[in-house]
Amino acid sequence: MTQDTLPFGARLRRAMDERGPLCVGIDPHASLLADWGLNDDVAGLARFTRTVVEALGDRVAVLKPQSAFFERFGSRGLAVLETAVTEARERGALVLMDAKRGDIGSTMAAYAATYLDPASPLFSDAVTVSPYLGYGSLRPALDLAATHGCGVFALALTSNPEGAEFQRAVREDGRSVAATVLGHLAEENATAEGLGSYGAVVGATLGDLSAFDLAINGPLLAPGIGAQGATPADLPTVFGDAVRNVLPSVSRGVLRHGPDAGALRAAAARCADEVRAAIDQQEARQ
């Protein structure tokens, strides 16, 4: 198997080892555009997005566009997103589309094709999905990801406080919903060589999660670093022995340093170094 045909998990591991364990979100919300001196319109969206991709596409492991911030501008916003996805991948970054799609049957299959079919203009390396119509509803995305060497990140223990209402609810078998999702992902990754391609979204702000088995042999996307209050130093406490598989996600903590490209690069490099240091310290204790 050549590098070009490696599954997502293997490509992600290589990218984190070579570029640092960091995902930078592309979240062009109105207030951030204003901070950059840009108008809240398609021209501002395009300028913002192009700057981020050109500054970081050849440096960070993963770029994560938040689809909603592009969709709000309609077809012109989606055209900006299509260009960003293509150019980020050309620069060597893995693209994780933050779409959080979830549905059933043919509708879920259509969502999967949008992000995980190479024929789609929004084809990405991975996509976030919501399992709250039942884990089995994700099967079209899971299967298409396997076919094309892509990844899927399912919401499990998210950083927003409201998430606990559903995610920590206990089923009749005594397991929480989040633990059930994690268990399913571990099964998907059971036969993977190295890091699996099926990941979980687990917030970095949640404190000690030792009650949950995070050893799913897949990546753990960890939002919450920076503006939401978590720091790289918190990662060992939250993720324990699974910390090496954590992909911290930072958006405003890096993007607020724009529009200067050099400042964006420096901020991303500092964050990646801090994450790497925290992971190394945890592994030294083991």
Side-chain angles (χ1 to χ4, degrees), residues 158-160 202-207 223-225 228-230 234 238-239:
T158 57
S159 56
N160 62 308
V202 179
T205 59
L206 298 179
I225 301 290
Q228 294 185 47
D234 296 324
V238 178
F239 294 96

Side-chain angles (χ1 to χ4, degrees), residues 2-242:
T2 67
Q3 286 191 346
D4 290 341
T5 59
L6 288 174
F8 173 75
R11 291 186 289 122
L12 177 61
R13 172 64 74 203
R14 184 181 69 222
M16 290 196 296
D17 289 345
E18 294 178 355
R19 295 187 170 200
L22 186 67
C23 168
V24 176
I26 305 178
D27 297 358
H29 48 75
S31 61
L32 191 52
L33 293 177
D35 289 344
W36 278 36
L38 300 172
N39 292 329
D40 186 23
D41 56 19
V42 173
L45 174 76
R47 178 69 178 274
F48 177 94
T49 306
R50 183 172 59 253
T51 299
V52 175
V53 171
E54 290 179 352
L56 302 178
D58 63 347
R59 294 169 184 266
V60 301
V62 180
L63 287 174
K64 180 174 69 65
Q66 169 47 259
S67 181
F69 290 116
F70 297 85
E71 293 172 24
R72 70 191 183 100
F73 292 104
S75 61
R76 294 180 298 164
L78 288 175
V80 173
L81 181 58
E82 291 174 10
T83 299
V85 169
T86 298
E87 293 184 351
R89 299 185 79 231
E90 287 175 349
R91 286 171 165 78
L94 298 177
V95 173
L96 168 55
M97 185 63 70
D98 196 355
K100 299 183 178 72
R101 299 301 193 232
D103 215 306
I104 60 173
S106 60
T107 306
M108 190 63 211
Y111 280 138
T114 301
Y115 305 109
L116 303 174
D117 186 335
S120 169
L122 288 173
F123 176 62
S124 304
D125 296 283
V127 65
T128 58
V129 296
S130 173
Y132 293 107
L133 287 174
Y135 184 85
S137 68
L138 301 179
R139 183 50 54 192
L142 299 168
D143 289 347
L144 197 60
T147 298
H148 296 301
C150 298
V152 170
F153 287 84
L155 303 177
L157 288 159
T158 57
S159 56
N160 62 308
E162 305 89 344
E165 177 181 2
F166 291 106
Q167 296 160 13
R168 298 185 186 240
V170 177
R171 293 161 22 104
E172 291 182 356
D173 63 4
R175 291 200 302 169
S176 69
V177 173
T180 301
V181 173
L182 291 167
H184 283 303
L185 293 169
E187 292 173 1
E188 302 287 348
N189 292 319
T191 60
E193 297 181 10
L195 187 67
S197 297
Y198 302 96
V201 180
V202 179
T205 59
L206 298 179
D208 185 358
L209 291 177
S210 57
F212 295 91
D213 186 1
L214 300 179
I216 65 170
N217 193 35
L220 302 168
L221 180 68
I225 301 290
Q228 294 185 47
T231 69
D234 296 324
L235 296 174
T237 299
V238 178
F239 294 96
D241 292 345

